[in-house]
Amino acid sequence: MTEPDPQTTDTPDTPIEVLLRLYRSGLLAAEYPCVAELLNLMSGADLERARHLLSRLDPDEVTREHPSVPSVKVAVTGHGTLSALVPALAAELARHGLLARTYLSDFDCYVFDLTDSDSELYATEPDMVVCVLDPAIVFDEVPLPWRPADVARVLAEKLAVFETLAHRFTERGEGTLVFNTIPLPRRYVHQLVDLSSRAELSALWREANARLLRIGDGRPSVVVLDIDPLIAEGVPCEDVRMSIYAKAYLSADLLASYARELGHLARHLRGRTKKVLVLDLDDTIWGGVLSEDGADGIQVADSYRGEAFRSFQQVIKQIGSQGVLLAVASKNDVEPVREVLTSHPRMTLREEDFVQIAASWRPKHESIAELARTLNLGTDSFVFVDDSSFERAVVHRSLPGVQVIQVDDDPALHLDRLLRDGWFTVRELTTEDRTRVVKYREELVRKDFLDSFDSVEGYLRELGLAVRLAVVESSEVARVSQITLRTNQFNLTTERLQPSEVAALLKDPAALTLAIHARDRFGDNGLVGAVFAHRDGDQLRVDNLLLSCRVFSRGIEEACLGSVLRHARDTGAKAVLGTYRPTAKNAKLRDFYARHGFELIGTEGDVTTFRHDLADIAPPPGHIQLTERLGGRN
């Protein structure tokens, strides 16, 4: 990005001025990767202006300039005028390094759009369909005059319609359908003059929204987002004038806030959910400086600032309990830090909550980079929180993939700064999520165990590795989908699959969908990988093979690929084809098939195809105990 000339300006351009200059000069598409940082520095009128600039940008132009920028096709439908949602989506997806390709349906076409499989909406092949629900959907159909019982009747009818739409979408088996809860504006409630009727209306409305929130239960491709928390923060539900004159039944501010939540979901759908939260200590999770104030002098509770730090620690502990890895990067001596985390009577966070504590006087970006290597994760999986602008700037400059969160000298605001962008949002928690910290701590023990050996071969022999390769069970669908969404390094094609798409594969007689489980002397790693393949005539095509970064380089991939080859041969296949699509993260896999007996047969676009003739299949590595349940050959 072009920097301002210090000889021609006294002050640097503001972020919106930079964005405007890029737009006017025709360079916005070329500089699209820089947009996220600019947007994160904007608010208010500047952010509104940026939204409209980005909505005018041609997505195809961005893709030509930056083919690696992931696109998300979003189809927007609903009852009212929803044009304000389009620029908000463009900005919110750009904030996460994504490119919005948005289709806006016609006014009040949501029922037709979602029930007709030949609708223009479905023709766009959307990754995400946003069906915006508003109060007019209900109140446009109540009689005049009306009573709460009339509203209850219409709500019941509408809920039945939403159920049908969710069912039809699920049958289709592609993409994600998003509903929202329906707000109840004051102007409807206060048309009832008696408080008893107002209470009745509010109660039945809440009951209807509760039913709406449960429409996603048992439907992995349907998500319902609750917008009541957005309104509770002070976002106006509606602009009455726009509602009456333009039939825009939800305010532009509410749609912009809703777009922010949709951006979090889109980021998850594109496999960009963060995995690790790295925390500074001094004046970040406690008040004061440990090396100067001592353990008794830091503020943790029992004061107004201390209570704020305790609230922040409680939020961190809650996040960590759901599979987010917590780590410390602090300029302190390690023993006093461990003493505080172990023995301080008012500390909420304890040493066992963290996967690693990097307390030293080395630069923090070095500590984070080393942690990434230890955990075998990319630094773009990390979020870093620090009160020091200097430390934040160094980490941002040295490790641009790390999401740096700014907190300041008001600890009461720390938790909002951490939570507002939903960096760790996932659709559904799995059993593996809740035990992830334990598994990664076990991984560090494995690393120490490895360091005690003179050779990797000796380490693997003593590791006691047992692998089970079996057809995916229905209870494993969510976890298998999650692996496709979160795995970037050992992912041969980086094809992301939603739970509904995995479930559909289980019903496809031509598909072979396998889960990889692993355990060793240190514990059960759980479901750590997947194989997706399908029969194509007398050939078996391996569509993808994925493996968690926790279990790289142990021969698991070799054992599982060999098992698939034997299964293909034993079930009558003449050959196995495998494909590789390069990404910024999976370059180490470019020769994966070649190293395992496949021959290169061609490249089309960015996809390279390999072939194995099944004549010479290597046995499983000797250090692995392999159990196979592939169906048709046990």
Side-chain angles (χ1 to χ4, degrees), residues 79-82 107 134 241-250:
H79 174 64
T81 300
L82 298 168
F107 180 85
D134 59 62
R241 294 171 302 171
M242 293 297 294
S243 179
I244 293 174
Y245 295 143
K247 300 187 183 303
Y249 300 119
L250 300 180

Side-chain angles (χ1 to χ4, degrees), residues 1-14 18 21:
M1 190 185 306
T2 305
E3 296 294 333
D5 186 346
Q7 297 180 344
T8 61
T9 182
D10 295 326
T11 59
D13 288 345
T14 64
V18 174
R21 186 176 69 246

Side-chain angles (χ1 to χ4, degrees), residues 459-480:
Y459 161 73
L460 292 174
R461 281 195 303 271
E462 296 300 319
L463 189 58
L465 184 57
V467 174
R468 178 165 60 90
L469 182 66
V471 173
V472 172
E473 299 179 2
S474 58
S475 60
E476 298 172 328
V477 165
R479 171 58 180 162
V480 171

Side-chain angles (χ1 to χ4, degrees), residues 2 16 75 80 108 292 324 342 442 445 447 453 457 488 520 559 563 579 604:
T2 305
I16 188 60
D108 197 19
E292 297 175 4
V324 176
T342 302
E442 290 173 350
V445 176
K447 184 176 183 299
F453 285 84
E457 291 76 14
N488 296 302
D520 58 33
S563 179
T579 55
E604 184 175 349

Side-chain angles (χ1 to χ4, degrees), residues 176-180 216 219-225 265 427:
T176 298
L177 172 63
V178 187
F179 289 122
N180 59 276
R219 295 186 175 105
S221 60
V222 179
V223 174
V224 184
L225 297 180
L265 176 59
R427 179 182 300 181

Side-chain angles (χ1 to χ4, degrees), residues 354-370:
F354 297 95
V355 69
Q356 189 171 83
I357 296 171
S360 68
W361 298 99
R362 66 192 298 193
K364 291 185 180 180
H365 71 277
E366 293 182 5
S367 296
I368 295 172
E370 182 177 341

Side-chain angles (χ1 to χ4, degrees), residues 388-456:
S388 166
S389 59
F390 170 78
E391 298 291 357
R392 293 194 304 266
V394 172
V395 170
H396 176 69
R397 182 175 63 252
S398 303
L399 303 172
V402 174
Q403 181 60 46
V404 178
I405 295 181
Q406 175 181 341
V407 295
D408 53 30
D409 58 359
D410 188 346
L413 301 178
H414 285 11
L415 58 90
D416 180 66
R417 304 270 174 81
L418 174 60
L419 296 176
R420 70 190 306 266
D421 281 311
W423 296 112
F424 307 106
T425 297
V426 296
R427 179 182 300 181
E428 180 181 359
L429 285 181
T430 66
T431 301
E432 282 79 5
D433 289 323
R434 299 188 185 280
T435 59
R436 182 171 288 116
V437 174
V438 173
K439 286 180 167 53
Y440 269 94
R441 289 176 72 91
E442 290 173 350
E443 194 56 39
L444 296 179
V445 176
R446 291 183 182 93
K447 184 176 183 299
D448 291 340
F449 184 64
L450 169 62
D451 292 342
S452 69
F453 285 84
D454 294 331
S455 68
V456 173

Side-chain angles (χ1 to χ4, degrees), residues 558-610:
E558 179 182 348
C560 291
L561 181 59
S563 179
V564 170
L565 294 174
R566 289 190 294 275
H567 173 79
R569 181 192 60 196
D570 295 351
T571 54
K574 301 301 183 184
V576 171
L577 302 181
T579 55
Y580 166 70
R581 178 181 290 111
T583 69
K585 294 294 188 67
N586 71 358
K588 66 177 67 176
L589 300 180
R590 65 168 60 91
D591 63 344
F592 173 75
Y593 283 114
R595 284 188 281 110
H596 293 92
F598 286 69
E599 293 183 357
L600 173 66
I601 61 173
T603 299
E604 184 175 349
D606 63 346
V607 177
T608 303
T609 303
F610 298 82

